Amino acid sequence: MKNISENKLKYYQYSPENQYLDRKSARKKPKELLKHFIAFANAEGGQLVIGIEDEKQNNIITGFKDGKSHTVEEFKKIPNMLSNQVIHAIFDEYEVINYRGEKDVILVISIDVSINRVISAPDDSVYLRRNDESIKISYEQRKMLNYDKGQQFFEDEIVEYSSIDDIDDGLIEEYKVKLGALDSDTTEVLKARNLIIDGQVTKAGILLFGKYPSRFLPQARVRFIRYEGSEMRVGTDFNVTKDITFEDALPRLIIQVKAFVSTQLRDFQYLDEHGNFKVMPEYPEFAWFEGVVNAVTHRDYSIFGDYIRILMYDDRLEIHSPGKLPNIVTLENIKQERFSRNPRIARILTEFGWVREMNEGVKRIYSEMENLFLNEPIYSEPGNKVSLTLKNNILNRHIRIQDRLRNDFNSFDSLSDDEKKVIHYMYNSGSKITTVKVMELLERARPYSLKILKKLESQNIIEWHGTSKTDTNQYYMLKVKVD
């Protein structure tokens, strides 16, 4: 029997049920829970908490003292219901106070992922964990799962000559906070997630918590390249304007990539129908960031000599991830299905708060792009990689603006380049402009800038606003509604 910290109990009691966590009453028949054991083992592992009710029952602690409850020992025998198949599970009993104020226990069952075989029920059904459900999968999905399980997970392999000294203590402490396990020893935490074996760290452990992951796994990096224009050029036409590589442990690498890519994206201002300034991003943040997180989480790390690439062009953003789509996920079902090639990495990045349920995240990428009136994201598998392309439609926006201006101003095509530049700026920034801003925009003196404004005013394209010619707050507005 173990004591349980307040933080850990809160985690088991109130965390939303998800890919890695499920709660069941001790009144449930143990044989009814077998499918959840199987589903967790076939997916990415997880925990069953027995003795705490689900959200429908307000997450109350009912424990095992209810007269209708089954015993702890009965639940511990669940893996024995399978013949010739092994599910690795750890059973921890914790002392708690139940909702009646009595001393009681809960049982936390930690189920490990089955690496090299698919686990099936006595009736030959196969279950897989999907979000907060344990679902029965089809014959075709089972075949694909069998194929994947026949290949040892790369992330579980030992990194030779590694040790606990290669682990970043600060990052482990951050992880302990997430788990509510500050009192736990670092080695215990790593062992609990199968990231250290006989004193040596696994590849997943190095990727997630290593001080210098690329020392052991040089392919574990993300490279960002920005090109001027809409295509890559070489030689005398070489057009790379930014080239930076990120090589830190995955939880920190994700933060670094997000911060940097954010600095490379453009915002567009416009006025809404109420006259308030709004900002439209070049791409919705969720879409590109979720694409990056998915690449980091699900790429094939066994492919040496290749790494994740983020390529930014004037008209699109591409994210390239080594390896094919994992297991039962295809280009056709990517919005509905989820499966992780790297279950240990996926689980820990989820616990850090970065990874959403895969199908939820992908579906939202589509909806976020649609909400900004951008084209659908494009997933493809060119060669031995997965690519996500997001198009920004800047060219279409420019054409739309040109057409609108021609429609609103018959004299638009006869304007000078500087006059058009002023109008374009006013259209994109919300239509208000001052003489000082025109001077900055055209890099010309005040007399010339005033001349441009007066000409546009005389052609009834813009109008002046102010109390007098000496008004320090005077400005000009387009005489059309900016949308």
Side-chain angles (χ1 to χ4, degrees):
M1 191 81 66
K2 297 181 179 180
N3 293 322
I4 188 168
S5 69
E6 184 179 348
N7 285 338
K8 184 175 281 189
L9 181 58
K10 283 183 178 178
Y11 170 78
Y12 288 137
Q13 188 172 4
Y14 295 112
S15 293
E17 293 182 344
N18 56 35
Q19 183 74 19
Y20 308 101
L21 180 68
D22 208 338
R23 281 181 288 270
K24 299 297 177 187
S25 167
R27 296 187 299 274
K28 281 277 188 181
K29 293 180 180 179
K31 67 179 182 180
E32 294 177 3
L33 302 191
L34 178 60
K35 74 173 186 179
H36 300 294
F37 276 67
I38 294 170
F40 278 126
N42 283 333
E44 297 154 39
Q47 291 183 307
L48 270 174
V49 182
I50 312 297
I52 299 180
E53 305 296 313
D54 59 23
E55 293 176 6
K56 294 177 183 177
Q57 301 297 324
N58 299 317
N59 303 92
I60 63 172
I61 299 173
T62 47
F64 282 79
K65 288 196 172 180
D66 187 318
K68 297 180 181 178
S69 295
H70 295 273
T71 67
V72 168
E73 293 305 315
E74 288 180 277
F75 288 102
K76 287 184 177 181
K77 293 177 181 178
I78 292 176
N80 299 335
M81 297 177 186
L82 301 175
S83 59
N84 302 319
Q85 298 179 95
V86 177
I87 289 181
H88 295 284
I90 297 172
F91 299 86
D92 290 311
E93 296 176 56
Y94 292 102
E95 292 183 340
V96 296
I97 301 298
N98 66 29
Y99 76 105
R100 295 183 296 271
E102 304 167 330
K103 286 187 177 181
D104 209 328
V105 299
I106 60 170
L107 177 65
V108 177
I109 308 169
S110 300
I111 301 157
D112 196 15
V113 59
S114 172
I115 293 175
N116 53 14
R117 69 175 298 175
V118 174
I119 305 296
S120 58
D123 66 357
D124 206 38
S125 298
V126 174
Y127 297 90
L128 193 65
R129 190 72 179 175
R130 182 191 287 165
N131 304 339
D132 61 351
E133 295 182 304
S134 297
I135 63 163
K136 185 177 178 178
I137 62 174
S138 68
Y139 175 74
E140 285 302 318
Q141 291 172 320
R142 179 174 179 169
K143 280 174 58 179
M144 295 172 72
L145 189 60
N146 264 310
Y147 175 78
D148 193 78
K149 291 289 185 180
Q151 304 174 28
Q152 178 86 18
F153 283 121
F154 177 82
E155 63 174 2
D156 280 331
E157 295 174 359
I158 294 296
V159 175
E160 290 188 1
Y161 311 114
S162 65
S163 72
I164 194 73
D165 293 334
D166 294 303
I167 295 298
D168 186 318
D169 292 332
L171 200 47
I172 280 287
E173 290 304 310
E174 289 180 37
Y175 181 55
K176 290 179 186 178
V177 171
K178 299 287 185 184
L179 293 183
L182 276 173
D183 297 332
S184 300
D185 178 74
T186 293
T187 302
E188 290 178 6
V189 171
L190 293 172
K191 283 183 177 179
R193 291 292 183 264
N194 293 287
L195 301 178
I196 191 166
I197 301 172
D198 296 330
Q200 295 188 88
V201 186
T202 66
K203 290 175 178 175
I206 289 294
L207 288 166
L208 289 161
F209 297 109
K211 293 176 182 175
Y212 310 107
S214 59
R215 172 188 165 199
F216 297 102
L217 301 165
Q219 73 272 31
R221 52 197 171 108
V222 173
R223 185 180 178 190
F224 174 93
I225 305 174
R226 181 166 189 166
Y227 297 96
E228 183 179 12
S230 58
E231 61 183 2
M232 178 180 64
R233 296 192 294 271
V234 296
T236 57
D237 295 324
F238 186 67
N239 62 331
V240 172
T241 60
K242 288 281 184 182
D243 189 342
I244 185 169
T245 298
F246 304 88
E247 298 181 321
D248 217 323
L250 299 186
R252 289 195 176 141
L253 177 145
I254 288 171
I255 296 171
Q256 293 164 3
V257 171
K258 182 180 183 182
F260 179 79
V261 174
S262 294
T263 68
Q264 302 301 301
L265 299 174
R266 294 165 286 189
D267 286 331
F268 301 91
Q269 288 187 324
Y270 67 98
L271 280 177
D272 65 15
E273 65 271 21
H274 304 296
N276 299 315
F277 274 106
K278 298 290 185 181
V279 174
M280 178 179 288
E282 186 172 358
Y283 307 97
E285 181 181 274
F286 182 93
W288 64 262
F289 183 54
E290 183 72 4
V292 170
V293 172
N294 283 343
V296 168
T297 306
H298 303 294
R299 68 150 287 186
D300 188 342
Y301 284 98
S302 70
I303 299 176
F304 290 89
D306 203 0
Y307 43 86
I308 295 168
R309 291 174 172 82
I310 304 172
L311 310 180
M312 181 178 286
Y313 299 88
D314 284 354
D315 60 344
R316 68 192 185 281
L317 182 71
E318 299 177 0
I319 301 169
H320 300 283
S321 175
K324 296 286 189 179
L325 286 166
N327 200 268
I328 61 175
V329 181
T330 65
L331 293 175
E332 290 72 33
N333 69 18
I334 195 167
K335 287 196 282 186
Q336 289 78 38
E337 290 293 348
R338 68 150 287 147
F339 189 87
S340 178
R341 175 182 285 113
N342 309 303
R344 304 203 192 282
I345 291 173
R347 180 172 183 177
I348 287 169
L349 290 181
T350 299
E351 290 166 335
F352 266 104
W354 293 122
V355 177
R356 295 168 178 82
E357 308 303 347
M358 186 174 177
N359 54 326
E360 172 203 332
V362 172
K363 280 193 289 189
R364 190 171 160 192
I365 290 176
Y366 278 80
S367 64
E368 291 282 331
M369 292 292 284
E370 182 181 0
N371 289 341
L372 280 190
F373 306 103
L374 298 173
N375 291 340
E376 275 196 351
I378 301 171
Y379 280 95
S380 59
E381 289 186 287
N384 193 26
K385 63 183 177 184
V386 176
S387 295
L388 169 63
T389 299
L390 306 176
K391 294 187 176 181
N392 61 29
N393 271 355
I394 286 178
L395 179 60
N396 288 347
R397 293 178 189 176
H398 178 74
I399 292 172
R400 190 165 64 245
I401 291 170
Q402 291 280 90
D403 290 343
R404 172 68 186 273
L405 292 173
R406 286 193 180 95
N407 182 62
D408 289 328
F409 307 114
N410 294 330
S411 60
F412 179 78
D413 287 327
S414 65
L415 299 177
S416 69
D417 288 342
D418 282 345
E419 290 162 350
K420 288 179 180 179
K421 192 172 185 179
V422 169
I423 292 177
H424 269 285
Y425 174 83
M426 295 175 75
Y427 194 97
N428 284 322
S429 64
S431 83
K432 182 188 290 188
I433 201 167
T434 64
T435 307
V436 172
K437 187 62 189 179
V438 175
M439 292 166 61
E440 293 175 2
L441 186 66
L442 302 181
E443 298 181 343
R444 299 292 295 268
R446 186 178 188 86
Y448 179 82
S449 299
L450 275 171
K451 180 181 177 183
I452 292 290
L453 288 168
K454 292 301 179 184
K455 182 177 178 183
L456 293 174
E457 185 182 12
S458 69
Q459 294 192 27
N460 210 31
I461 294 174
I462 64 174
E463 58 185 5
W464 176 82
H465 291 262
T467 57
S468 69
K469 297 303 179 183
T470 58
D471 183 359
T472 56
N473 295 317
Q474 61 181 294
Y475 59 90
Y476 292 84
M477 292 281 289
L478 279 176
K479 295 191 72 172
V480 295
K481 182 180 178 183
V482 179
D483 54 19

